[in-house]
Amino acid sequence: MKKKLLYLILFAALVVLTAYPFLEDAELASCLAYFSGGVRDVAEDRSERFLGKVQEDTIRCRGGNDAAPWRATPWLDWQRYWGAGGAGSKYTGLLSGLGFLSPNHRGIGGALLDLEYQRIELLKFNLFDNSGTFEEYVREGESDGKLQRIWRQFRLPKNHPSYAKIGGDGAQKCSGELIRFRTLDGICNDIMNPLMGATGRPFARNVDFYNTFPDLSTKDFVKNRHGDRIGLLKPDPQVISRRLFTRTQSVPEHCNAGQGLASNSTEAHCDYQKAPHLNVLAAFWIQFMTHDWFSHLDEGENRPELMAMGCENTRMNGLDQPLSPDDIARLGCRPGDRIDQAIMTEDDAPKSFKHGDKEYLSRAHKTTPNKVTAWWDASQIYGYDDRSRRRVKRDPRDRAKLLLEIVPERRQEPMGYLPVLRPPDPMNPQWAGQEGVAFPDNWNIGLSFFHNLFTLEHNLFVDNFRETARRTPDEDSGLRNPARLGQTITYKDVSDDELFEVARLVIAAEIAKIHTIEWTSWHSWLDRAVRCRGAVSSIRWYGS
């Protein structure tokens, strides 16, 4: 049946394309070759994965002759397809009326097909979940053609407050208020798998379990591949940092090995190398993001036991020979440094299973819990459990807003700043005096900037909503309650709590947009341009 359909499509393409002699010969030939080649198979081996680069005939048919040079770059090809790169990429010629065979349909359809290949193969080769789903996934395949896979491992437990609301012992499905806004602990982002991505779930891996914690592996092929070179602290991050970032100082006494001078003296100065294309906020931004996605720490702390790290630990420094005292002194290592041991959910030997002619581990040698929600839900601002939510202050004058306080020394800032942590806020002693946010660990001036910025943005959205409600109180706000979808909610009927949660949805969406469209694409461009500048400099549309 599939072959017949393919032949029909090919025949229709031949008839239509040959009916338009004004189509360039090269594009015509490419489309014929593209259609006759059929659909590529999903890769069977990791080395054959689809990496977003298509054949020349494919890109020429989907994007025209001008798109063909794009294949010489490291970027994904779909960005040059017709209709897939924004309004300016749309085809507007006579062939735009050909329906599904038109250039725009070929371009957009091709882009979606590329995305689907990457999704399927990402799941196939990089989905190593420690929640107990991995063995079922290997034995049963991705979804057996179903759009929605239901996993028993992601059912809410009986002790969860929302257990009865989603079906209890029966089929569990999120509905009503649980899907209207972001939930505090991250449940119900997947309607049929309510526990997926919630606070406390174990981290998944994107490398196979045999190669996770390779120093603990019992397999010869892992030992032969990694030897004694790779481990949690091999090579040691302190050694890497000192070797890569230590610079000869013109005035060493003013730098003091990066520690500054007593009494915050203005004489302190360290020579450094400026990055010509990088704003320092970019580094703070990714830390701001990771605080939303994952954390191994429990309120800023791991297990109470300390373990050695640094230059004096020969087994951990990843070197064939231990560092000499002169090396230690030159690099400024601190041999006495100790760090917390990581919190582990499971560290006993994992079970293995066989499928076909291969043997698999059911989980990694060690599993670590995620103490925050795994979703892009701005949980670092709004909270991820009851304890973190208690640090989030709402403005008593308008409960839809987050609280900002005027700092006496900075009265020129009329909108104020986030209040500092103080009893009875749940807090680690090391956080005393810093601003109170849901995720206050690893605090620095960059995180302060972003937290205050998006708090201001939250409050600005509320102000604009309030102004619209003042002018048109009886108008439809556009909001709906899933339990009463047919009921209009006017502006005047939106409660403070509802508006607070709507503002959170807006802020989370803005953050995700900034990261995916601005931060990630810029860093991808910079990284690839540096590595491939010579290969693409002669392409006439480079940098467009």
Side-chain angles (χ1 to χ4, degrees):
M1 184 65 184
K2 290 182 179 180
K3 285 187 177 181
K4 289 183 178 180
L5 180 60
L6 180 61
Y7 290 142
L8 286 174
I9 294 175
L10 177 58
F11 177 74
L14 290 171
V15 171
V16 172
L17 290 175
T18 53
Y20 288 87
F22 42 80
L23 187 65
E24 295 186 33
D25 292 341
E27 293 182 28
L28 172 60
S30 293
C31 282
L32 294 177
Y34 167 51
F35 281 114
S36 63
V39 180
R40 73 183 295 275
D41 294 327
V42 173
E44 291 297 327
D45 184 83
R46 181 187 293 266
S47 63
E48 300 171 349
R49 285 179 299 175
F50 176 65
L51 301 177
K53 306 298 292 182
V54 297
Q55 299 296 320
E56 183 174 353
D57 287 329
T58 303
I59 193 172
R60 199 182 298 274
C61 185
R62 293 175 178 177
N65 291 327
D66 289 341
W70 188 262
R71 295 183 66 250
T73 75
W75 287 279
L76 303 180
D77 289 335
W78 66 263
Q79 297 171 75
R80 302 298 296 188
Y81 297 168
W82 278 306
S89 68
K90 289 183 178 180
Y91 181 89
T92 58
L94 294 176
L95 297 180
S96 59
L98 291 181
F100 75 94
L101 289 174
S102 70
N104 289 327
H105 278 75
R106 295 202 307 269
I108 294 173
L112 293 174
L113 186 60
D114 286 359
L115 180 64
E116 182 65 7
Y117 274 118
Q118 290 189 298
R119 185 189 75 86
I120 292 173
E121 294 180 4
L122 183 66
L123 291 173
K124 184 173 183 178
F125 297 115
N126 291 78
L127 181 63
F128 300 95
D129 184 28
N130 280 309
S131 298
T133 63
F134 180 67
E135 182 173 353
E136 292 182 29
Y137 180 82
V138 171
R139 294 187 184 280
E140 300 174 18
E142 179 196 348
S143 63
D144 297 327
K146 299 178 181 177
L147 294 177
Q148 179 68 49
R149 178 77 177 261
I150 299 176
W151 301 93
R152 57 182 176 80
Q153 292 86 352
F154 295 131
R155 291 174 58 87
L156 283 193
K158 290 185 177 181
N159 61 353
H160 195 282
S162 299
Y163 179 74
K165 296 179 182 178
I166 64 169
D169 291 335
Q172 294 189 351
K173 182 179 180 180
C174 300
S175 61
E177 290 295 323
L178 290 174
I179 61 173
R180 189 181 185 194
F181 304 121
R182 293 286 188 173
T183 55
L184 179 59
D185 58 356
I187 68 167
C188 288
N189 277 279
D190 187 303
I191 294 176
M192 306 301 294
N193 296 286
L195 202 60
M196 182 182 290
T199 301
R201 300 302 299 168
F203 281 99
R205 297 282 176 177
N206 64 359
V207 295
D208 66 85
F209 294 143
Y210 279 117
N211 289 296
T212 306
F213 298 97
D215 50 324
L216 300 177
S217 181
T218 59
K219 293 295 182 182
D220 289 337
F221 74 88
V222 176
K223 294 180 180 179
N224 293 336
R225 177 182 300 167
H226 300 295
D228 196 33
R229 298 178 298 107
I230 299 177
L232 184 62
L233 292 177
K234 292 187 297 185
D236 186 87
Q238 187 182 86
V239 177
I240 294 173
S241 175
R242 302 308 299 182
R243 283 198 159 193
L244 293 181
F245 298 116
T246 296
R247 294 187 175 89
T248 301
Q249 295 294 315
S250 57
V251 188
E253 59 271 21
H254 284 184
C255 183
N256 189 24
Q259 301 301 309
L261 300 180
S263 302
N264 296 319
S265 171
T266 57
E267 294 295 318
H269 172 78
C270 293
D271 298 327
Y272 69 98
Q273 181 178 343
K274 293 182 179 180
H277 303 292
L278 184 67
N279 189 308
V280 70
L281 286 177
F284 293 131
W285 173 266
I286 193 60
Q287 189 173 24
F288 181 61
M289 290 293 93
T290 55
H291 285 181
D292 182 21
W293 300 331
F294 55 83
S295 173
H296 295 277
L297 301 176
D298 187 4
E299 288 291 279
E301 294 181 335
N302 283 348
R303 288 165 50 185
E305 303 90 354
L306 299 179
M307 61 182 180
M309 68 171 294
C311 300
E312 102 289 5
N313 196 322
T314 304
R315 282 182 51 78
M316 291 184 180
N317 65 32
L319 304 175
D320 294 333
Q321 299 295 328
L323 292 174
S324 68
D326 289 342
D327 288 333
I328 292 176
R330 176 176 55 82
L331 292 175
C333 295
R334 300 185 295 268
D337 276 6
R338 299 292 183 270
I339 60 173
D340 295 346
Q341 292 196 41
I343 298 173
M344 297 293 169
T345 303
E346 300 169 288
D347 57 6
D348 56 326
K351 296 180 180 179
S352 62
F353 66 94
K354 284 189 174 183
H355 180 65
D357 58 351
K358 292 185 178 180
E359 185 177 33
Y360 302 86
L361 290 181
S362 59
R363 62 167 176 80
H365 297 281
K366 294 181 180 181
T367 64
T368 49
N370 191 1
K371 295 296 184 176
V372 302
T373 62
W375 306 107
W376 222 330
D377 57 1
S379 62
Q380 77 275 46
I381 300 173
Y382 298 97
Y384 41 85
D385 58 16
D386 291 330
R387 185 170 50 180
S388 63
R389 175 57 69 89
R390 285 161 54 199
R391 289 191 285 266
V392 180
K393 304 296 189 298
R394 292 170 66 171
D395 193 333
R397 297 161 296 184
D398 185 345
R399 293 287 296 167
K401 290 186 174 182
L402 290 163
L403 178 62
L404 293 169
E405 297 178 338
I406 301 297
V407 178
E409 307 86 62
R410 296 187 175 181
R411 292 191 178 277
Q412 70 274 20
E413 298 289 347
M415 291 180 287
Y417 295 87
L418 286 163
V420 299
L421 289 168
R422 57 176 68 93
D425 294 329
M427 57 186 290
N428 188 308
Q430 66 183 357
W431 301 337
Q434 69 185 47
E435 289 156 312
V437 296
F439 194 109
D441 198 37
N442 304 318
W443 197 250
N444 54 52
I445 189 172
L447 290 177
S448 173
F449 171 82
F450 284 120
H451 274 274
N452 278 282
L453 175 67
F454 285 103
T455 296
L456 289 168
E457 182 72 359
H458 174 108
N459 290 350
L460 180 64
F461 173 83
V462 172
D463 284 337
N464 277 272
F465 192 96
R466 296 284 193 211
E467 174 60 23
T468 304
R470 185 190 64 77
R471 289 187 283 103
T472 57
D474 296 317
E475 291 292 323
D476 184 355
S477 67
L479 304 178
R480 294 294 183 270
N481 188 327
R484 299 181 297 277
L485 287 176
Q487 179 178 330
T488 298
I489 300 177
T490 64
Y491 279 100
K492 68 181 181 182
D493 292 329
V494 178
S495 69
D496 291 345
D497 287 339
E498 287 176 313
L499 184 52
F500 179 87
E501 295 298 342
V502 170
R504 176 179 180 174
L505 290 175
V506 171
I507 296 304
E510 287 184 359
I511 289 173
K513 186 268 181 185
I514 290 170
H515 189 84
T516 54
I517 304 302
E518 312 290 342
W519 191 95
T520 303
S521 60
W522 185 87
H523 275 259
S524 175
W525 173 86
L526 176 63
D527 174 63
R528 294 176 180 184
V530 169
R531 289 186 289 113
C532 305
R533 180 172 54 187
V536 298
S537 59
S538 62
I539 297 177
R540 57 187 170 88
W541 38 258
Y542 170 62
S544 62

